[in-house]
Amino acid sequence: MFQFIKTIPCKQINYTTLVASSLTKVVLDSKMLTNNMNAWEFMNTLITPPEKLAVERAVAELKELELLDENENLTPLGKTLVKFQLEPKLAKVIF
């Protein structure tokens, strides 16, 4: 009646790799979903918020890519590239 499925062990994700991951795509997506809420304020509401410095670096990179303006609001280009399921740097190169 029941079939047993052989499980294949998955490669475990290294926690330090996960923590060191770029937050640029997460911040860009959060801007669209929260109507341009301050990135750190939004991230700080998460169960396990990232370090503030990591969020600040992501915001700085998005500003450098001209996806956020000086007030941390999405630019027209940012509103377009947020639809891409790619890291913002790569999405900008493709666009």
Side-chain angles (χ1 to χ4, degrees), residues 2 37 63 67 69:
F2 294 100
M37 181 178 179
K63 286 179 180 179
L67 304 181
D69 63 18

Side-chain angles (χ1 to χ4, degrees), residues 46-57:
L46 301 175
I47 294 171
T48 308
E51 292 183 18
K52 188 172 185 175
L53 182 60
V55 176
E56 290 171 351
R57 271 191 253 137

Side-chain angles (χ1 to χ4, degrees), residues 33-51:
L33 298 172
T34 63
N35 199 23
N36 283 318
M37 181 178 179
N38 178 280
W40 172 242
E41 288 177 14
F42 172 73
M43 295 292 185
N44 204 31
T45 65
L46 301 175
I47 294 171
T48 308
E51 292 183 18

